[in-house]
């Protein structure tokens, strides 16, 4: 019964990114693109920009109106693709429904796709080739490794199959030699499958969905979910109180996976700058 301190682990990553940037001789640059008025998205983007500034990354924010035409967004991305000051381009999701999300994400040149959402980077991850890996699953893997979790041979159950969390998470665990089961809304006997997990990752988007009774004693439970309850409280997909009693370790919400996502964005932006300089 240990609470994994994502904030502290993220802080260590941020400090190491900062000191590497100090020694690099080039200031990495990240451009953020925010479309519309989603209040949560505004908070996420502001936090990412603040983290960049602290780490020594040049940050450039672009805000577009809710009803922006796709061509305007695509030409902004084209300009950033060609801008040598910019090493990473982040399009904050979700986009308004009139925009074709896949077309927009694939407009970002793969070498600046620090979110790892371009289909080329998706393919590279599947092929286990160097490329950009989505920040949230990358952060979860970093948490597991920092906690010295035995991944090899473990049964990892990922609940959720989204392109930005569930699927890349499963792929990373597979490359790290876990036996991986991916569950989703059509999965039968979800409870039984969760109870088999040595590592249980919840990326569902349903508040407090995973309870203590779904968890094998001694399992490691990672809660990716961020849900706002009607009373304003922020909770994960895992019922912390009951799972804490059963699991050997668990991430809290807030203060678990969230800070790792931002730290990995900084790391990916630094990596992009290094690749642009011809470094490893
Ligand atoms: P999506 O809505 O894209 O995906 C949710 C997944 O959960 C889907 O695959 C869905 O299945 C599955 N699911 C939904 N209901 C059930 C159910 N009853 N039983 C089993 N599976 C179910 O969400 P995201 O992956 O984008 O995000 C997941 C959560 O993580 C959200 O709370 C989000 O806010 C949070 N998040 C947190 C981040 C962080 O930095 N901490 C970053 C990104 C997301 P199906 O495919 O069949 O519909």
């Amino acid at each position: 019964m240990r609470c994994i301190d994502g904030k502290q682990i993220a802080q260590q990553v941020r400090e190491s990114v900062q000191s590497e940037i100090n020694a690099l001789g080039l200031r990495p640059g990240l451009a953020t693109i925010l479309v519309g008025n989603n209040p949560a998205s505004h908070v996420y983007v502001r936090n990412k920009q603040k983290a960049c500034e602290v780490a020594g990354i040049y940050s450039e924010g672009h805000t577009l109106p809710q009803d922006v035409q796709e061509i305007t967004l695509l030409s902004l991305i084209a300009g950033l693709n060609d801008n040598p000051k910019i090493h990473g381009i982040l399009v904050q999701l979700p986009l308004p429904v009139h925009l074709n999300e896949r077309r927009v994400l694939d407009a970002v040149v793969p070498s600046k796709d620090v979110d790892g959402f371009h289909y080329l980077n998706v393919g590279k991850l599947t092929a286990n080739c160097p490329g950009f890996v989505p920040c949230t699953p990358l952060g979860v893997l970093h948490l597991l490794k920092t906690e010295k979790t035995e991944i090899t041979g473990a049964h990892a159950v990922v609940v959720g199959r989204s392109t930005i969390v569930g699927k890349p998470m499963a792929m990373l665990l597979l490359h790290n030699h876990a036996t991986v089961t991916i569950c989703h809304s059509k999965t039968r006997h979800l409870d039984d499958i969760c109870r088999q997990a040595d590592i249980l990752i919840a990326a569902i988007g349903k508040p407090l969905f995973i309870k203590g009774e779904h968890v094998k004693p001694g399992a490691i439970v990672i809660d990716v979910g961020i849900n706002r309850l009607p009373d304003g409280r922020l909770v994960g997909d895992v019922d912390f109180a009951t799972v804490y009693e059963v699991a050997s370790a668990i991430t809290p919400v807030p203060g678990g996976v969230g800070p790792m996502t931002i730290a990995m964005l900084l790391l990916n932006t630094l990596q992009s700058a290094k690749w642009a300089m011809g470094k490893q």
Side-chain angles (χ1 to χ4, degrees):
M1 283 168 267
R2 202 159 23 86
C3 186
I4 301 173
D5 189 347
K7 228 167 142 181
Q8 197 211 332
I9 299 169
Q11 184 56 31
Q12 287 162 3
V13 174
R14 288 169 64 157
E15 283 167 15
S16 98
V17 167
Q18 188 174 4
S19 55
E20 225 187 300
I21 288 173
N22 288 340
L24 191 64
L26 171 87
R27 192 172 186 205
L30 176 76
T32 56
I33 302 175
L34 178 55
V35 183
N37 314 312
N38 183 324
S41 293
H42 275 266
V43 173
Y44 293 147
V45 167
R46 210 165 40 240
N47 287 342
K48 289 168 185 174
Q49 289 169 338
K50 270 196 224 151
C52 280
E53 280 149 30
V54 174
I57 293 174
Y58 165 71
S59 136
E60 189 176 289
H62 297 267
T63 307
L64 299 174
Q66 180 79 19
D67 61 354
V68 70
Q69 287 196 5
E70 193 169 299
I71 185 75
T72 309
L73 175 55
L74 293 178
S75 64
L76 170 62
I77 293 172
L80 294 167
N81 283 343
D82 290 339
N83 182 343
K85 266 169 51 182
I86 297 300
H87 303 93
I89 301 169
L90 179 149
V91 181
Q92 184 65 41
L93 300 179
L95 290 172
V97 288
H98 70 280
L99 299 171
N100 182 323
E101 190 172 288
R102 191 30 58 207
R103 201 155 47 215
V104 170
L105 295 178
D106 290 341
V108 174
V109 69
S111 60
K112 297 189 180 185
D113 171 39
V114 286
D115 256 340
F117 294 160
H118 189 286
Y119 70 83
L120 194 91
N121 283 315
V122 175
K124 283 184 172 181
L125 174 58
T126 305
N128 205 7
C129 295
F132 291 113
V133 176
C135 300
T136 300
L138 192 59
V140 171
L141 183 69
H142 191 92
L143 278 182
L144 291 172
K145 289 193 167 173
T146 306
E147 289 292 308
K148 307 223 180 322
T149 307
E150 183 66 53
I151 302 176
T152 300
H155 185 191
V157 173
V158 181
V159 190
R161 58 172 164 180
S162 72
T163 309
I164 63 173
V165 189
K167 273 191 272 190
M169 185 73 252
M171 207 48 80
L172 282 177
L173 290 162
L174 190 60
H175 294 329
N176 281 273
H177 313 298
T179 302
V180 183
T181 304
I182 308 174
C183 301
H184 47 78
S185 66
K186 308 285 189 290
T187 298
R188 292 195 195 122
H189 313 299
L190 181 73
D191 299 10
D192 293 341
I193 296 170
C194 288
R195 270 192 293 272
Q196 291 169 24
D198 303 306
I199 300 168
L200 180 60
I201 316 267
I204 311 163
K206 296 242 153 72
L208 313 175
F209 186 87
I210 302 285
K211 315 270 187 216
E213 73 224 42
H214 298 126
V215 175
K216 174 161 106 177
I220 302 237
V221 180
I222 305 288
D223 190 354
V224 178
I226 303 178
N227 310 286
R228 180 79 62 188
L229 294 181
D231 65 7
R233 266 190 310 142
L234 206 61
V235 297
D237 292 343
V238 175
D239 179 22
F240 188 92
T242 58
V243 173
Y244 183 77
E245 298 300 325
V246 187
S248 65
I250 176 172
T251 57
V253 176
V257 174
M260 293 305 295
T261 298
I262 294 189
M264 293 301 122
L265 175 66
L266 304 180
L267 199 61
N268 278 355
T269 307
L270 167 62
Q271 184 61 65
S272 181
K274 281 161 61 179
W275 279 336
M277 293 169 83
K279 295 181 185 234
Q280 280 303 302

